[in-house]
Amino acid sequence: MVTIAAWWRDGKSPQARAANVGRSDDELVVSAGNDSRRYLLREVRLEAGVDTLPDMLQLPDGSTLEVADRVAIRRLLGGLPLAERGSHWLLHSWRALLGTLLAAIAVCWAAWRYGLPLLAGVLVQWIPPSSEQQLAAHTLDWLQQQELIHPSQLPVARQQALQARLAALLPADSRYRYTLLLRDAPDIGANAFALPGGSIVVTDQLLQVVTRADELDAILAHEAGHVEARHGLRSALESAGVLAALTLITGDASSLTVLLPMALANASYSREHEREADRFAFAALRRHGLSPCLLGYGLQRIERAALSGQEAAAGQHSWFASHPATSDRSQPDGQRCPPLP
C-alpha cells in the first residue's frame, strides 16, 4: 500500500505526531507508530490548503491530518479535479510545457496574421469618410514636419491639368472626392501614394520619370484602387489597434493625431492589396479605351530609374514603398504585353 507522510492530531492534545496515510479499498488507513486506525472515505472531509499551506483532513473521530503533498492526498482520496490534473501534468512534463508554449505562439501568430486583418477589414466599414479625411490631413502635416515632402515645383497650370485627368479617370459614383496633391519629395523619390479619404500624393520626382500621360493615368488609377478598398486605413489600424478604429468610428480623429499618421506612413500593403488595386486600375483603363499594360510600363520606368541611380533616394525609405514591376503586373490577367516602349 502506498502511503503519504502526514501530521496527525488526535483532537485532544495540541501535539502533532508523524503518521503515514494510505488507502485500502474504501477506507483511509492512518498509522502512527503502533497506533493504526481506519476511516470510511465517505466520512473524511478535505479542507484544501491555500497556496503553500498543507491540506487538512477532518476525520470522523475528531482527529485531523495535515498533508503537505496536496497532489498525492487528493489522488488517494479519489482523484484530482480536471483543472488540477492538467496543471499538475504541465508542471511535471517538460514536453507538455514546451508543447503548450509552442501552441500559444502558434495561436498568437495566427491571430496576428489572419485575425487582426480580418477584424480591421470589418471595423473599417464603419469609419466615415470624414474621419478618413481628418486622418489624411494629419498624415500630411506629419510628413511635412518630418521634412519628407515640400511644395511642388511644378507650375500651377500643370497641377490643375493633372487634377482634371484624375477626375475624368475615376467613376462618378465614388464615395470619395479625389484630390491630387503634387509634392516635391527628394527623400521619398519617384513615388505616388494614396491617403485615406481620396487624397493621392504624386511626387515631382515621379513626373520626371513617368512622362507619358497614359502611364501616369494607370498609376493614379492604381492608387485610387487603394483608396476605394481602404487599404491604407486597414493597414494603419492593424498597426494601431482596435481602440484607434473605435475612435475613428465615432468620427473624431483628433486624439489620434500622433499615433495613426505614423502608423499610416509606415504601413505597407499586402500582396493581395496590391493585386486588388491593380485590378481596379485595369478596369478603369479599359473603361477609357486604354491598355491595362500601361500600369506595368509606368512601374517599370520607376524601377529602372531607381536601379540606374537616377532616383537614388527612392529606396532610402520604406514609407509607401514603391511598387515593384513584377511580371504578374506587367501581364494583366495573363495578357502578354509588348516590351516597354
Side-chain angles (χ1 to χ4, degrees):
M1 178 175 60
V2 177
T3 60
I4 304 168
W7 290 100
W8 185 16
R9 289 184 172 85
D10 60 11
K12 301 175 182 179
S13 170
Q15 186 175 1
R17 290 188 291 166
N20 291 316
V21 182
R23 177 174 175 174
S24 176
D25 296 329
D26 60 348
E27 292 183 324
L28 186 74
V29 180
V30 181
S31 301
N34 295 327
D35 192 356
S36 179
R37 303 184 188 184
R38 290 173 176 261
Y39 305 94
L40 291 175
L41 289 175
R42 66 174 181 270
E43 296 179 349
V44 176
R45 183 164 55 89
L46 172 67
E47 294 181 357
V50 179
D51 295 332
T52 58
L53 296 180
D55 282 348
M56 181 77 72
L57 298 184
Q58 298 288 347
L59 305 176
D61 61 2
S63 60
T64 59
L65 287 169
E66 289 185 2
V67 184
D69 193 340
R70 301 170 63 184
V71 172
I73 191 60
R74 296 182 191 202
R75 282 179 169 172
L76 184 141
L77 293 176
L80 292 170
L82 179 60
E84 294 194 28
R85 289 203 304 269
S87 62
H88 177 72
W89 177 62
L90 287 175
L91 289 173
H92 290 80
S93 172
W94 68 267
R95 291 184 179 87
L97 198 58
L98 179 60
T100 302
L101 177 61
L102 293 177
I105 293 174
V107 169
C108 292
W109 179 86
W112 171 80
R113 178 65 178 83
Y114 301 105
L116 191 57
L118 180 62
L119 181 60
V122 172
L123 291 176
V124 79
Q125 303 302 321
W126 296 90
I127 296 175
S130 58
S131 290
E132 294 186 76
Q133 292 163 1
Q134 288 184 55
L135 176 57
H138 294 319
T139 304
L140 284 173
D141 290 342
W142 185 86
L143 291 171
Q144 291 170 355
Q145 292 170 6
Q146 301 301 311
E147 297 186 349
L148 293 171
I149 59 174
H150 309 276
S152 174
Q153 302 301 310
L154 295 176
V156 175
R158 178 75 190 284
Q159 298 184 42
Q160 293 174 343
L162 292 174
Q163 176 68 53
R165 291 189 67 89
L166 175 63
L169 181 67
L170 299 176
D173 59 352
S174 172
R175 77 181 87 181
Y176 300 109
R177 297 181 60 185
Y178 281 86
T179 302
L180 182 65
L181 304 174
L182 298 181
R183 294 293 186 269
D184 182 34
D187 288 336
I188 295 178
N191 214 332
F193 52 85
L195 295 176
S199 297
I200 297 179
V201 179
V202 176
T203 67
D204 291 354
Q205 289 71 23
L206 175 69
L207 297 177
Q208 294 171 6
V209 172
V210 181
T211 57
R212 290 186 47 163
D214 52 3
E215 292 176 7
L216 180 59
D217 287 344
I219 292 174
L220 293 177
H222 171 87
E223 298 303 329
H226 285 309
V227 174
E228 293 292 330
R230 296 177 155 183
H231 290 157
L233 185 58
R234 290 172 61 176
S235 297
L237 291 183
E238 290 175 26
S239 301
V242 175
L243 289 179
L246 297 178
T247 302
L248 287 175
I249 289 173
T250 63
D252 179 20
S254 58
S255 61
L256 303 171
T257 54
V258 176
L259 177 64
L260 270 182
M262 292 182 63
L264 181 61
N266 288 281
S268 59
Y269 297 131
S270 67
R271 290 184 179 180
E272 180 54 37
H273 286 177
E274 291 292 353
R275 286 192 289 266
E276 189 175 355
D278 286 348
R279 290 191 292 269
F280 182 91
F282 298 153
L285 292 169
R286 289 191 177 103
R287 283 198 305 269
H288 290 76
L290 298 173
S291 170
C293 295
L294 292 168
L295 178 60
Y297 293 156
L299 297 177
Q300 288 180 57
R301 295 190 196 280
I302 296 172
E303 185 179 67
R304 288 187 178 185
L307 294 177
S308 66
Q310 295 177 22
E311 284 293 337
Q316 291 180 1
H317 294 282
S318 61
W319 302 287
F320 311 103
S322 295
H323 307 91
T326 63
S327 58
D328 288 343
R329 302 170 84 182
S330 297
Q331 298 179 14
D333 302 328
Q335 174 182 341
R336 184 174 296 278
C337 296
L340 181 68

